[in-house]
Amino acid sequence: MVVLMKTMLSAIGLIVGVCAMVATMASRVADAATQATQIVEITAERFSFTPSEIRVKAGTRVEIRLRSEDTAHGFRIKGTDIDVELAKRGRGVKIVTFEPQTGRYDFECSQLCGAGHEYMRGVIIAE
Amino acid sequence: MLHSSTVENYLKAIYAGVATLPRGQRLVPMGQLASAVGVAPGTATTMVKTLAESGLVEYEPYAGVALTAAGQKLAALVLRRHRLIELFLVRMMGYAWDEVHDEAEQLEHAVSERLIDRIDEMLGRPETDPHGDPIPNAEGLVKQQDSQTLLTCPLDRIVIVTRVIDQDREFLRFIEQHHLKPGEAIEVEARDTAADSVRVRGRNDQRITIGTRAASKLLVHVAHGLLLLLLACPAFAQTAPSQARQTQRTSLSGYMDFHYNNPEFADATLDFHRFVLLVTHSFSDRIRFVGELELEHALVEGLEEKGELELEQAYVDFLFTRGFNVRAGMMLMPIGIINERHEPPVYYGVERPFIDTVIIPSTWFEAGAGVHGEVGRGWRYRAFVTAPLDASEFSADEGIREGRQQGANANVSSAAVTGRLEYVGVRGLTLGASAWSGRSGFQFRPRFNVPVSVAEGDARFSRRGLELRGQFAQVWIDNAGVLNDTLALRSGVNPNIARAMRGFSLEGGQRVISNPRLGEVGAFVRYENFDTQFRMPSGYVPLRQFDRDAWVIGANYWPDPDVAIKMDYSIVGNQSAIVRAPHSFNVGLGWWF
């Protein structure tokens, strides 16, 4: 009886240990993936980007996923080569990647989209 | 006939191997092929014999292997898939050019010819991939490139980078970092054989010295003729395709609104309600011009009963920071939802809401100056000083609408102030509060004060095709009794202007069909309550026909997000037992470009 209980306890301990190890590894893999690329989703709609203030970690790769809720907009990050056109509503997501150094990066709509086009601006703050 | 990925990889390796052979040699040595596909020579030989039996290659023992015509076409089609996938990933999915090769290696064996043809069409039948490699056509034919390397091209001549033949990720990043990607205009200034290096002048006159090995991997095309002329022009110089958009400094857009209105008690009309052209120009990143010219009702011929030609916007923005900017010129008043956001495809209903017509006199624009900006996560402000309204044009029916001076020799003996605070920090949600205040009695002699104030609040929420809107606005006119008496003396008719006007509206809409090919359909219902004689001056009785409400129900069909075909039925009521408000059936076509 004692032997049986010891065997059961050992088996339970082994299972718990393996689960803990797998969970730890999975967590590390997920952390590594998260640290490798920071994903930011931005929605564009006349006449705002949401969110319009984005904080990211300096030096990491930032993947910006852009989607329009109405017409074609532009997305330009000043001082960089990034200047892309966003497809109209329902026609897909535009993805740009960006590796900012510490600082503020203003972005704006670079495609005339209506009477309030000049209000479509935002900032990426890399810290 | 379908071939395995192994067969395709062998054919591709032979195809690539042929390009490296010395002139006069046509067989790829088996050792080279085995190395290219990453197997032992014996394994490669076994596979090549199988391919020879299939008629895809010619195999000569102890000499090597060459592609037959059938094998060459098959290899070219694999390369076509690979390169189109690379370009698709970069252009449409935002991949970096140094990370697409591995993805394409996997996908090139999985996609169908039909999908590849669609991708080819979607990309505009491109001739090269992101690295400049030529893309074979659907017949497997490749357009020959007339290129030189940085080791052989002329010195001190502008050349265009056409191709990078090494797709090692580190090398591609190096090329990108130093602006040497295909499309860049550069010059080779010097070659140093002793140091095995090449000095290149690139974008913005930046110099970089690279090794001859790296230089041999960059193919270029010597610029001449019209291309050279364009490169000499500052607007085009040193531009790769990705930079071309930034040089576009003037933009033209517009919107149009075409209506069929069939009201009760009157004949139906066809009205080209609005033809609007917008033009913007960037003097620099910090100084921008915006202009909006509107032709209403299609025809301008002297009297206002015809159309109107209006300069609704013509301002210059001086952009300092995200939080603080200065604007001067003809500007839209920042009041309500529609006044600043009125492109036809963005709202339901053929006509603009009543509250945005008789309470808020949209399109409301005046000459002036002010500041605007955004702080934090979506808090926006606008504050302008502008010309005031002209109280001598107010009426019982249309409220303050005809009092707009519209920048036409506007009297500014006193100034009006207006502002809006807006929150756009939550996806799909916009909350706004606006105000306007000014003295409007400048036309009268002896002059007396007619202070006018407008307060407005609005909310808009949209997500997954659902759109909800609510708006409330109220106008106060002080000294309205004196104003009525004075105008009655002038014209002989008392205009019965109120001391307070008020309106609100609630709207719900839902896109019920959303099909990428057929377009979208949305239905809506709106309730409005508006009264231009909400509170009367002492001694005046409100006329009940001006206390109105309306139910508007209808639908929009968007064949394209920028084109809207609209239909609605407007049921208008009032509190009068004598005067009836007309219902109307309306159809509209509006578009933005």
Side-chain angles (χ1 to χ4, degrees):
Chain A
M1 190 66 173
V2 173
V3 174
L4 182 62
M5 283 190 66
K6 279 185 177 176
T7 306
M8 285 180 65
L9 284 172
S10 301
I12 291 168
L14 185 65
I15 291 167
V16 170
V18 169
C19 288
M21 195 167 71
V22 169
T24 306
M25 287 175 67
S27 168
R28 283 181 183 171
V29 169
D31 286 350
T34 307
Q35 284 169 7
T37 302
Q38 184 172 347
I39 295 172
V40 174
E41 294 189 356
I42 299 179
T43 303
E45 188 190 28
R46 289 181 174 103
F47 296 103
S48 60
F49 288 107
T50 309
S52 57
E53 183 180 278
I54 298 150
R55 292 179 185 272
V56 299
K57 191 174 176 185
T60 58
R61 192 180 181 92
V62 179
E63 182 177 301
I64 304 172
R65 299 177 178 176
L66 297 144
R67 182 192 304 274
S68 170
E69 286 296 322
D70 43 38
T71 189
H73 292 280
F75 180 78
R76 177 183 169 222
I77 302 178
K78 290 184 181 178
T80 74
D81 284 345
I82 295 174
D83 183 5
V84 295
E85 183 178 323
L86 280 58
K88 296 176 186 178
R89 178 178 65 219
R91 297 187 181 175
V93 177
K94 189 78 184 180
I95 300 174
V96 296
T97 52
F98 179 45
E99 287 189 21
Q101 301 305 307
T102 303
R104 293 172 65 90
Y105 296 83
D106 288 329
F107 62 85
E108 64 180 11
C109 178
S110 55
Q111 170 130 347
L112 181 55
C113 58
H117 164 70
E118 291 296 326
Y119 294 132
M120 282 193 73
R121 302 165 74 193
V123 64
I124 296 170
I125 302 168
E127 300 167 316
Chain B
M1 180 181 172
L2 291 173
H3 297 278
S4 71
S5 59
T6 307
V7 169
E8 292 182 340
N9 283 336
Y10 269 85
L11 295 176
K12 203 171 62 169
I14 299 168
Y15 187 98
V18 169
T20 66
L21 296 177
R23 189 182 294 270
Q25 185 178 332
R26 70 179 197 88
L27 297 176
V28 178
M30 290 306 296
Q32 182 181 335
L33 175 62
S35 173
V37 292
V39 298
T43 307
T45 302
T46 305
M47 185 66 194
V48 163
K49 286 178 180 173
T50 306
L51 295 176
E53 288 170 6
S54 303
L56 295 171
V57 302
E58 293 173 33
Y59 172 57
E60 290 185 23
Y62 310 109
V65 61
L67 293 170
T68 63
Q72 181 146 353
K73 181 176 180 182
L74 195 57
L77 292 179
V78 178
L79 275 178
R80 169 180 163 80
R81 294 203 293 269
H82 182 99
R83 290 171 180 173
L84 280 170
I85 289 166
E86 286 191 334
L87 188 61
F88 183 82
L89 293 175
V90 168
R91 198 183 285 178
M92 307 302 287
M93 301 191 72
Y95 273 64
W97 79 323
D98 59 275
E99 59 186 6
V100 293
H101 180 74
D102 293 343
E103 295 276 13
E105 280 291 308
Q106 302 291 322
L107 291 170
E108 67 185 19
H109 306 298
V111 293
S112 68
E113 290 304 325
R114 184 172 175 231
L115 177 59
I116 282 298
D117 280 344
R118 288 284 176 87
I119 289 175
D120 191 25
E121 187 180 1
M122 177 184 269
L123 295 173
R125 310 247 178 245
E127 293 186 350
T128 58
D129 74 3
H131 314 103
D133 296 326
I135 298 173
N137 66 15
E139 301 303 315
L141 300 175
V142 181
K143 189 176 178 183
Q144 293 300 313
Q145 291 182 323
D146 180 21
S147 297
Q148 304 179 58
T149 71
L150 291 186
L151 298 178
T152 59
C153 70
L155 292 176
D156 298 323
R157 286 276 303 274
I158 295 177
V159 294
I160 310 298
V161 179
T162 56
R163 188 175 177 184
V164 181
I165 58 175
D166 184 347
Q167 298 193 6
D168 174 75
R169 294 184 74 160
E170 291 300 317
F171 183 66
L172 291 176
R173 283 180 191 162
F174 170 83
I175 293 297
E176 182 166 29
Q177 188 181 356
H178 292 93
H179 306 297
L180 295 172
K181 289 177 71 174
E184 292 284 354
I186 60 173
E187 273 183 40
V188 175
E189 290 189 329
R191 296 189 185 99
D192 187 335
T193 50
D196 280 342
S197 65
V198 175
R199 192 173 78 235
V200 174
R201 184 172 73 88
R203 191 192 299 178
N204 299 327
D205 285 336
Q206 286 185 339
R207 266 76 172 180
I208 177 176
T209 300
I210 60 176
T212 51
R213 189 156 169 265
S216 70
K217 298 173 184 174
L218 285 173
L219 302 189
V220 296
H221 178 74
V222 180
H224 50 75
L226 181 61
L227 182 58
L228 195 61
L229 199 64
L230 287 173
L231 289 166
C233 171
F236 289 90
Q238 314 284 343
T239 58
S242 61
Q243 275 75 56
R245 285 168 53 76
Q246 292 180 22
T247 63
Q248 296 171 6
R249 303 173 69 189
T250 302
S251 299
L252 179 70
S253 284
Y255 66 88
M256 284 93 209
D257 227 350
F258 179 47
H259 295 168
Y260 166 79
N261 302 107
N262 190 355
E264 280 187 307
F265 322 128
D267 292 335
T269 56
L270 272 177
D271 184 23
F272 203 104
H273 198 145
R274 296 182 182 89
F275 179 94
V276 182
L277 292 177
L278 275 97
V279 60
T280 63
H281 179 76
S282 296
F283 298 98
S284 70
D285 255 3
R286 296 197 176 280
I287 305 177
R288 311 267 177 87
F289 162 74
V290 173
E292 183 177 350
L293 193 64
E294 174 163 335
L295 174 60
E296 287 198 352
H297 309 298
L299 177 66
V300 177
E301 197 175 59
L303 299 175
E304 203 175 281
E305 284 72 20
K306 301 287 183 180
E308 295 174 26
L309 186 62
E310 297 172 338
L311 186 63
E312 293 196 343
Q313 294 193 84
Y315 64 79
V316 174
D317 256 340
F318 299 90
L319 305 174
F320 296 104
T321 67
R322 177 174 175 246
F324 180 79
N325 308 283
V326 174
R327 175 173 295 180
M330 186 81 87
M331 307 175 297
L332 295 177
M333 299 297 94
I335 311 281
I337 297 176
I338 287 287
N339 203 54
E340 292 181 298
R341 191 175 182 275
H342 48 234
E343 294 71 21
V346 305
Y347 62 91
Y348 283 106
V350 175
E351 301 292 347
R352 295 176 180 179
F354 291 103
I355 187 176
D356 290 295
T357 306
V358 297
I359 305 297
I360 301 167
S362 73
T363 307
W364 190 359
F365 53 94
E366 287 291 357
V371 295
H372 64 92
E374 182 171 332
V375 293
R377 290 180 66 88
W379 289 99
R380 293 171 159 188
Y381 72 90
R382 319 201 242 298
F384 303 140
V385 178
T386 71
L389 292 165
D390 178 1
S392 68
E393 300 292 338
F394 293 173
S395 68
D397 184 19
E398 294 195 296
I400 60 175
R401 182 174 187 80
E402 295 305 317
R404 298 169 300 170
Q405 296 199 73
Q406 302 177 329
N409 287 321
N411 187 307
V412 286
S413 54
S414 67
V417 292
T418 181
R420 177 173 172 86
L421 184 63
E422 198 171 67
Y423 178 66
V424 293
V426 174
R427 186 165 288 136
L429 178 68
T430 301
L431 299 173
S434 320
W436 187 98
S437 178
R439 297 181 173 189
S440 303
F442 51 82
Q443 287 282 12
F444 304 113
R445 298 291 182 277
R447 191 170 280 178
F448 64 95
N449 192 8
V450 184
V452 176
S453 302
V454 180
E456 186 272 351
D458 58 80
R460 189 168 62 82
F461 178 75
S462 60
R463 188 166 292 179
R464 296 194 186 95
L466 171 71
E467 176 145 355
L468 304 172
R469 292 180 182 209
Q471 190 172 3
F472 174 87
Q474 181 151 339
V475 177
W476 292 269
I477 302 172
D478 289 353
N479 284 339
V482 180
L483 174 63
N484 281 325
D485 295 342
T486 307
L487 290 173
L489 282 174
R490 278 177 146 197
S491 65
V493 178
N494 193 307
N496 218 43
I497 295 165
R499 67 178 171 85
M501 309 172 188
R502 184 227 57 187
F504 66 88
S505 70
L506 297 167
E507 179 185 298
Q510 174 71 50
R511 285 201 298 275
V512 291
I513 297 173
S514 190
N515 182 301
R517 295 183 67 186
L518 300 176
E520 301 165 299
V521 176
F524 79 102
V525 59
R526 180 168 64 230
Y527 175 73
E528 295 192 67
N529 190 304
F530 51 104
D531 185 357
T532 48
Q533 296 204 334
F534 180 56
R535 294 286 184 269
M536 296 303 291
S538 175
Y540 284 79
V541 177
L543 299 176
R544 305 291 286 170
Q545 68 262 35
F546 296 123
D547 185 1
R548 291 160 280 183
D549 67 358
W551 283 95
V552 185
I553 55 173
N556 282 15
Y557 167 54
W558 292 272
D560 180 285
D562 285 334
V563 179
I565 299 167
K566 306 179 178 184
M567 189 184 304
D568 66 45
Y569 191 73
S570 177
I571 305 163
V572 186
N574 63 37
Q575 301 298 313
S576 172
I578 304 165
V579 180
R580 281 191 61 196
H583 305 334
S584 63
F585 171 68
N586 308 294
V587 180
L589 170 63
W591 64 97
W592 158 268
F593 70 90

